Amino acid sequence: MTRLCAISILYAAGSWGVAAQFPENSAGKSVEMEGIDLYLHSATPSFGKIEDPTFWVHALRGRLLDDPPLWSLESARATIYREPEDDLILVAKAGSFDQERKAAQLTGGVRVTSGPLVVDLQDIAWDESQRVARSESIATLNHGSNQIVGSSIAIFPDDDRVELGGGTATILLAQEPEGDAKKETSVTDKYKQLLIEEHHGSSGSLKGAPLQRIEGPVRMSLIGKAPEDTLTIKADSVDLEYGSDPETRTPSRVSLKGHVELRQGESLIQSDEADLNLSG
């Protein structure tokens, strides 16, 4: 076994505070373990200061491959550390961990959660040096009753930002009441849903609203509570504003820019810009 492999094993064993020796298999090419914990620390030099880990993955089983040195994981649960209530939790059937490259990958069906935010996708890779989690697989993001689907995803935890590739989105304008409240609460009496049928990319906040900026061309509809009120919209870009509450799930204003078209029934309005007030 190479020196690098031995160092990696001792590093993993450090989660129990022991420097254990583990047997090689008959080919001398890998080591298998159960219940392992692996950590990454900041890629920024600490000048000797002891720092808390920035990434942690626990796996039910793991195999350390010798060439190249790489952990193969089963039943993995990872944490990307932020503020305690805002940590990103990633759960997957399988994964890999590369101490040398300061990187990890989760595969086989992945769920990412942070507060009320839930993302389901096939795989995702974490790069500690860039502090970003990326995937080129289709990502379905749920935030309360709202859903955004993108062809790819990039999560920047330190910047509180999530970016998705082109796809669709459904935003409810009449959210379900909480507790014993029976009255429907809505930002508008006229529309019940914002349906984004096509866009080429979006961005938003992990902690607040995950859909704030939409790149186009964008096709979408404000679905009316009465069919004749439905408004179809085209624009080059769209910005959604959510009022003073950063965690609200319902937009109060829609700002449209570039080749704007608003159609309602037989009526058509064309403009370079338009603002739609949904607050009343």
Side-chain angles (χ1 to χ4, degrees), residues 61-126:
R61 283 178 294 274
R63 173 180 293 180
L64 180 59
L65 307 177
D66 188 39
D67 188 19
L70 181 74
W71 280 101
S72 175
L73 308 174
E74 297 179 26
S75 298
R77 176 185 173 91
T79 301
I80 299 171
Y81 290 106
R82 304 174 72 209
E83 295 297 324
E85 65 274 15
D86 299 328
D87 288 345
L88 285 167
I89 308 298
L90 304 86
V91 179
K93 294 180 181 179
S96 61
F97 180 90
D98 190 330
Q99 178 67 48
E100 188 175 80
R101 292 180 54 248
K102 288 186 173 289
Q105 184 168 14
L106 299 177
T107 60
V110 182
R111 170 159 286 190
V112 182
T113 59
S114 179
L117 191 70
V118 179
V119 183
D120 291 305
L121 65 169
Q122 186 60 31
D123 57 69
I124 195 164
W126 173 248

Side-chain angles (χ1 to χ4, degrees), residues 13 15 20 23-24 87 99 154 159 164 203 249-250 259:
S15 61
E24 296 178 345
D87 288 345
Q99 178 67 48
D159 298 327
L164 288 102
S203 60
R249 301 170 188 175
T250 304
H259 301 92

Side-chain angles (χ1 to χ4, degrees), residues 198-239:
E198 179 186 8
H199 70 83
H200 286 221
S202 68
S203 60
S205 167
L206 289 169
K207 188 173 182 179
L211 186 65
Q212 296 178 358
R213 173 78 176 181
I214 310 170
E215 300 293 343
V218 180
R219 288 192 305 109
M220 63 186 195
S221 299
L222 273 170
I223 307 299
K225 294 180 179 179
E228 61 271 17
D229 290 331
T230 293
L231 181 67
T232 60
I233 303 165
K234 293 181 181 180
D236 288 343
S237 67
V238 178
D239 290 302

